[in-house]
Amino acid sequence: MSRLSLEGGHVLNGTVKVSGAKNAALPILAGTILVEGDSLIENVPNLLDISTMIKMLNSLDVVAEPYPDKNILKIRNNRKIRHIAPYDLVTAMRASFFVAGPILARTGYAKVPMPGGCSIGSRPIDIHLTGFKAMGAEVRMEHGFVELKCPKLKGVRMHLDFPSVGATENIMMAACLADGQTVIENAAREPEIDDLANYLNRAGAQISGIGTSVIVVNGVKRLTGCTHRVIPDRIEAATLLIAGPITGGRVTVEGAIFSHLEPVVMKLREAGCEVIVENDTTITAAFNGPLKAVNFDTMPFPGFPTDAQAQMMTLLTVSAGTSVVEETIFENRFMHAEELKRMGANIKTNGHTAIVTGVPRLSGAEVKITDLRAGAALILAGLNAEGITTVHGMNHLKRGYENLPEKLTSLGAKIL
Ligand code: EPZ
């Protein structure tokens, strides 16, 4: 597994640009299956997960290629869509399951491998499937595949058991070409869903209620290609903002969207960081005296994002006092705690709760990345730690962070 070593104790100062949002680009690329003709998707982060989705689209005969560079994808959807998603791609990346709704809506039949769980949880797809069934699809699960059949989906009012991001996106995409109106109640409200809806509307869809928990889709006959620019990555922005205070420095992120970061900014301020919102897209976080313990629960948007939980916990490991962290979204998302404890952190976990008691400083160690966001947290820990930290499993990190080591080096980090 690829690894990265860094020397802690260097103060990070400077400005860094945020890349496009992985979790917006992935559903948007899946959505291009619905959209006939040519689309140009801009501000796409150059990530392993994006490469996986590009392979997925090409396997379905939607031609996707970087043009003219890796941050712009040209999509040519002019052939008959294939029905079956390849096993190796879906199991490599859970988000590949986002192609199920679009294939079903476009062709009337989709055969997609069950995505299976991952290190942070079982990651079921029951809410996705309940939505497709409500729209008239026949659903069969056998031999590790999900088969979805319905010549023409019908719009319907439905209520999601949980505001699942992926289920909201999959169902919303399928509803674009259904007969009649679909109302999705208790829909997730993450900004990445809004970005997907904006792309689809630009292509001719009729989606309203964007940003609310009730999304209304009036089905149309067809969608046609257009150009769309992906929103910035709020989780990368949160990670970079924490890199300032955790090293005693000051980091400005450019090209972010403040309204996507409010829950994180509030908690950074509560922890004693100085956070300056220079304008809607430029935010600075600076060390401003001893860091203080804070409590937080991860929640669906607009609550504190689960994808920033590990990074915020890392800041709390060196914040004076005792913090209580509740991870309410996933059943096993504290694996970074064991690795942080190897670096001297004082953390007790019990189910969905972690009790973090601050220590003056972490100490460098060899640690391993268990999931994408834990990887970023361990690098933040290494920036603070006394001595050298070696992080194993950088392939996880490359799935979701574009040039993170280079960005941190530009701010003064010492990557060996
Ligand atoms: C998306 O995953 C993100 N991935 C995740 O980011 C993110 O952590 C998550 O949303 C929550 O914000 C992408 O957008 C590609 P969910 P998703 O469906 O859609 C349960 C990262 O690091 N659930 O909102 O899979 C599920 O088990 C990744 O970038 C069901 O029970 O998340 C979980 O406990 C990690 N049944 C909770 O809902 C379902 O049918 C939230 O899952 C679907 C979900």
Side-chain angles (χ1 to χ4, degrees):
M1 280 199 286
S2 59
R3 62 185 178 193
L4 174 121
S5 292
L6 67 158
E7 181 182 69
H10 299 272
V11 176
L12 264 62
N13 284 306
T15 299
V16 65
K17 187 133 176 35
V18 180
S19 296
K22 166 179 84 81
N23 290 350
L26 289 171
I28 286 170
L29 289 175
T32 63
I33 294 168
L34 293 165
V35 179
E36 295 171 44
D38 293 358
S39 285
L40 212 55
I41 310 298
E42 300 171 340
N43 199 35
V44 177
N46 177 19
L47 303 169
L48 280 179
D49 277 4
I50 297 296
S51 307
T52 303
M53 185 57 87
I54 290 172
K55 286 185 197 136
M56 171 64 79
L57 291 177
N58 285 300
S59 75
L60 298 169
D61 272 349
V62 176
V63 178
E65 56 189 352
Y67 170 86
D69 62 45
K70 286 187 179 294
N71 295 121
I72 301 178
L73 294 184
K74 186 172 180 65
I75 313 289
R76 290 203 296 278
N77 183 352
N78 303 305
R79 300 185 203 154
K80 196 169 171 333
I81 306 283
R82 294 164 67 89
H83 304 286
I84 301 178
Y87 171 80
D88 57 329
L89 294 176
V90 178
T91 45
M93 179 184 67
R94 171 185 169 73
S96 307
F97 193 71
F98 291 163
V99 303
I103 298 172
L104 176 61
R106 270 304 300 279
T107 71
Y109 173 68
K111 185 172 177 183
V112 184
M114 292 182 224
C118 70
S119 57
I120 63 176
S122 61
R123 312 292 293 275
I125 54 171
D126 55 310
I127 303 173
H128 299 240
L129 302 182
T130 304
F132 295 143
K133 277 185 208 156
M135 297 169 80
E138 184 196 322
V139 177
R140 281 177 58 215
M141 319 255 282
E142 57 179 17
H143 308 305
F145 275 83
V146 178
E147 276 194 292
L148 303 167
K149 273 186 200 158
C150 183
K152 187 71 177 167
L153 293 167
K154 275 190 70 49
V156 69
R157 174 183 287 274
M158 66 178 78
H159 186 283
L160 304 189
D161 286 350
F162 180 84
S164 152
V165 173
T168 301
E169 290 166 340
N170 230 336
I171 294 164
M172 182 173 77
M173 287 191 279
C176 286
L177 299 181
D179 246 348
Q181 184 178 83
T182 300
V183 179
I184 308 170
E185 294 177 344
N186 197 28
R189 298 171 53 194
E190 273 65 9
E192 294 76 21
I193 299 170
D194 307 351
D195 202 28
L196 171 62
N198 289 331
Y199 163 62
L200 295 169
N201 277 349
R202 195 166 290 147
Q206 291 181 14
I207 302 170
S208 54
I210 296 173
T212 76
S213 57
V214 181
I215 293 178
V216 180
V217 186
N218 290 313
V220 295
K221 287 267 172 291
R222 63 196 295 265
L223 302 179
T224 47
C226 60
T227 297
H228 181 79
R229 182 176 177 78
V230 173
I231 57 170
D233 194 316
R234 60 192 169 106
I235 303 303
E236 184 198 26
T239 306
L240 293 165
L241 285 173
I242 292 171
I246 204 169
T247 59
R250 183 187 190 85
V251 169
T252 298
V253 294
E254 277 183 342
I257 297 177
F258 172 62
S259 62
H260 298 173
L261 279 160
E262 282 195 83
V264 174
V265 166
M266 302 314 286
K267 284 298 165 187
L268 288 177
R269 283 178 170 151
E270 205 182 316
C273 306
E274 180 192 16
V275 181
I276 302 154
V277 182
E278 294 172 33
N279 55 53
D280 190 38
T281 59
T282 308
I283 302 148
T284 298
F287 182 76
N288 188 31
L291 294 167
K292 292 177 271 188
V294 299
N295 301 331
F296 72 95
D297 295 7
T298 63
M299 300 295 279
F301 193 86
F304 191 95
T306 175
D307 291 350
Q309 178 256 105
Q311 301 90 308
M312 188 70 196
M313 181 187 285
T314 302
L315 186 71
L316 299 179
T317 65
V318 289
S319 299
T322 298
S323 305
V324 180
V325 178
E326 292 288 341
E327 170 55 58
T328 72
I329 305 294
F330 289 107
E331 60 263 39
N332 185 33
R333 205 169 195 178
F334 283 148
M335 288 168 296
H336 47 281
E338 290 313 310
E339 298 302 303
L340 289 168
K341 284 155 75 173
R342 301 169 72 278
M343 298 178 71
N346 178 345
I347 306 171
K348 289 182 185 58
T349 61
N350 176 9
H352 286 265
T353 306
I355 313 282
V356 184
T357 304
V359 295
R361 192 175 178 198
L362 297 173
S363 62
E366 301 236 16
V367 289
K368 77 175 182 309
I369 295 178
T370 49
D371 69 272
L372 163 61
R373 305 302 175 183
L378 293 172
I379 289 178
L380 290 173
L383 293 171
N384 171 278
E386 188 273 323
I388 307 289
T389 297
T390 298
V391 181
H392 295 263
M394 285 295 288
N395 47 310
H396 286 283
L397 204 86
K398 288 175 184 151
R399 289 189 54 180
Y401 283 91
E402 186 179 50
N403 303 326
L404 185 63
E406 293 79 0
K407 289 177 178 174
L408 294 174
T409 302
S410 74
L411 294 168
K414 186 137 190 274
I415 311 281
L416 305 177

